Amino acid sequence: MRVVNISTNVSLATMTTMGLGGTANYVVDVTTDEELRQVYLNAKTMSQPVYVIGGGSNLIAHDEGYPGVIAHMMIPGIEIIADDNDTTTIQAGAGVSWDELVRFGVDRQLTGIEAMSGIPGSAGAAPVQNIGAYGQELADTFVSLEAYDIAKDLFVTLSAADCDFSYRRSIFRENAAGHYVITRITLRLFKSSPQPPFYDSLQRHLDSSQITEYTPQSIRDAVLDVRADKLPDPKIVRNSGSFFKNAIVEKWQAEDLQKNYPDMPTYPMDENHVKIPTGWLIEQCDLKGELIHGMRVHKGNAVVLINESATHYDDLSLARQTIIDAVRDRFRISIDQEPLELMTP
Ligand SMILES: Cc1cc2nc3c(=O)[nH]c(=O)nc-3n(C[C@H](O)[C@H](O)[C@H](O)COP(=O)(O)OP(=O)(O)OC[C@H]3O[C@@H](n4cnc5c(N)ncnc54)[C@H](O)[C@@H]3O)c2cc1C
């Protein structure tokens, strides 16, 4: 079969929400499993590397661009595949917008993903970093995914255990990076109401708006309001959302820091670890609102970097290093970047 929808010399800056990067030799819009297979088989024949992209909202491209084929995942469709007294199981193509999938569930009064309303990007990328927001994460409702195993030229089904999800990570960011292309995800949502306790900032918004009836729709509306205040819209302002992951530190280290910073917020992760909001750490370094090498530290949420006037990857790289160094020098905490990098193979 012939591969359709192919473009040449496409600017990666236009395909990624951070708005940086050179050109890709080819971009192919992939709408079916068979098209995906053909992209890989043809690229192999032509000795071209392939990189997979969804909405480009968690991806930083480099100035040299990509000397190969970008497979732009556009497999459509949302289907209900099982239904019982308590749950409804839905399956979405990798190219479905994540927020469209959330809306699909909310419209059917299903709960489980409504707090993740408004996260940009595609359903197919959601498992890659086990997306999460306001107390929910993908792993909570995840059943399985279908993927193309590139080396074996086979379509496979992977369970939650296979994906090995944890905070903002899965096998697809680590040892299995570049092994699979996710084609469909399957989630089990619940026929019940969202249950408190909710994330602090969400609860504050619910209280101040006097919302006491908790439905998937009321939580979705509240989350969208809170996000609009805290996160710049990537359609208007170039950014990749949270540029750094929250810091996970040992409990003793947080307790030690709290002697000097009694207001430092912490959230329990497990018996020995706590999460510290990286935005708070960056703010304490007096960097909130600052313009560093063309990157603006967002004034509403210091964990977000906005590409205000950066033109090269190096600008971003210098800004990133300034922030990492400042946090390390003040808190002895090493912070990690959240978006992935589109590397030349
Ligand atoms: C304003 C803003 C707010 C955000 N808020 C949140 C948030 O609250 N929580 C959160 O978790 N994230 C958040 N993000 C990050 C981002 O939206 C998510 O990580 C999202 O899942 C990325 O989807 P994408 O389709 O844009 O992925 P891309 O950026 O296109 O790709 C990201 C990575 O996934 C890989 N990938 C993409 N599709 C596939 C596929 N089908 N199969 C295999 N690999 C694939 C790519 O190769 C790349 O390595 C935010 C981003 C922005 C810009």
Side-chain angles (χ1 to χ4, degrees):
M1 97 151 247
R2 210 164 50 84
V3 169
V4 286
N5 288 329
I6 185 161
S7 317
T8 49
N9 297 325
V10 179
S11 157
L12 289 168
T14 63
M15 295 195 75
T16 51
T17 60
M18 192 57 106
L20 289 172
T23 56
N25 290 2
Y26 304 99
V27 173
V28 182
D29 290 342
V30 172
T31 58
T32 65
D33 290 7
E34 189 50 28
E35 280 177 9
L36 178 66
R37 239 190 111 226
Q38 291 302 325
V39 166
Y40 276 92
L41 297 178
N42 290 346
K44 198 170 171 189
T45 316
M46 292 160 59
S47 304
Q48 294 272 326
V50 182
Y51 194 88
V52 177
I53 192 168
S57 64
N58 209 31
L59 192 60
I60 309 293
H62 289 220
D63 296 350
E64 57 270 30
Y66 191 72
V69 183
I70 299 286
H72 184 205
M73 296 303 288
M74 300 187 71
I75 296 175
I78 306 178
E79 254 185 283
I80 293 179
I81 58 166
D83 195 50
D84 60 30
N85 283 344
D86 304 319
T87 64
T88 298
T89 304
I90 59 177
Q91 188 175 66
V96 170
S97 118
W98 169 257
D99 195 53
E100 189 187 326
L101 183 59
V102 175
R103 213 171 45 221
F104 183 93
V106 167
D107 285 350
R108 286 157 184 78
Q109 284 87 46
L110 297 169
T111 188
I113 52 176
E114 64 284 350
M116 291 188 276
S117 291
I119 298 181
S122 59
V128 174
Q129 71 158 2
N130 179 25
I131 58 168
Y134 300 99
Q136 287 179 345
E137 61 177 12
L138 184 84
D140 301 339
T141 55
F142 182 88
V143 177
S144 63
L145 59 78
E146 286 174 23
Y148 178 58
D149 181 326
I150 299 163
K152 295 192 179 138
D153 183 25
L154 272 181
F155 286 90
V156 294
T157 302
L158 302 182
S159 67
D162 294 330
C163 298
D164 194 22
F165 294 120
S166 58
Y167 171 69
R168 296 299 172 275
R169 70 163 284 285
S170 70
I171 58 163
F172 308 106
R173 275 185 76 113
E174 296 187 358
N175 48 335
H179 289 205
Y180 299 104
V181 184
I182 298 160
T183 54
R184 266 167 213 84
I185 64 169
T186 302
L187 307 181
R188 186 175 294 122
L189 306 182
F190 302 94
K191 295 178 181 177
S192 56
S193 305
Q195 292 300 318
F198 298 115
Y199 212 72
D200 290 353
S201 53
L202 180 58
Q203 186 65 59
R204 278 197 300 277
H205 181 83
L206 291 165
D207 293 344
S208 67
S209 315
Q210 298 179 329
I211 295 163
T212 49
E213 198 192 337
Y214 303 136
T215 63
Q217 187 66 56
S218 68
I219 299 299
R220 170 173 169 79
D221 293 343
V223 165
L224 290 176
D225 281 350
V226 175
R227 290 182 72 95
D229 272 354
K230 290 215 148 216
L231 288 157
D233 181 347
K235 290 192 198 90
I236 303 167
V237 178
R238 296 177 292 178
N239 78 96
S240 302
S242 297
F243 191 78
F244 297 102
K245 296 184 192 183
N246 285 323
I248 312 282
V249 303
E250 296 208 22
K251 232 174 168 177
W252 67 261
Q253 192 185 358
E255 283 162 6
D256 198 34
L257 282 168
Q258 273 169 331
K259 289 178 195 147
N260 289 329
Y261 301 95
D263 298 337
M264 185 176 82
T266 57
Y267 299 92
M269 287 296 286
D270 59 36
E271 220 176 282
N272 299 318
H273 295 90
V274 297
K275 183 165 82 179
I276 304 175
T278 297
W280 185 90
L281 298 172
I282 296 171
E283 194 175 341
Q284 297 306 303
C285 298
D286 298 325
L287 293 174
K288 197 174 187 176
E290 291 299 300
L291 184 67
I292 313 168
H293 299 283
M295 302 295 303
R296 175 80 66 189
V297 181
H298 187 34
K299 7 186 215 316
N301 184 0
V303 77
V304 176
L305 293 190
I306 292 168
N307 177 3
E308 201 166 285
S309 53
T311 50
H312 292 92
Y313 177 82
D314 271 357
D315 299 326
L316 171 75
S317 168
L318 290 167
R320 170 179 57 206
Q321 202 55 49
T322 305
I323 297 167
I324 290 175
D325 290 349
V327 170
R328 195 202 45 232
D329 291 352
R330 183 172 282 237
F331 295 102
R332 302 187 313 279
I333 291 176
S334 152
I335 53 173
D336 294 326
Q337 177 174 319
E338 184 183 297
L340 289 145
E341 306 238 343
L342 205 177
M343 300 286 217
T344 304

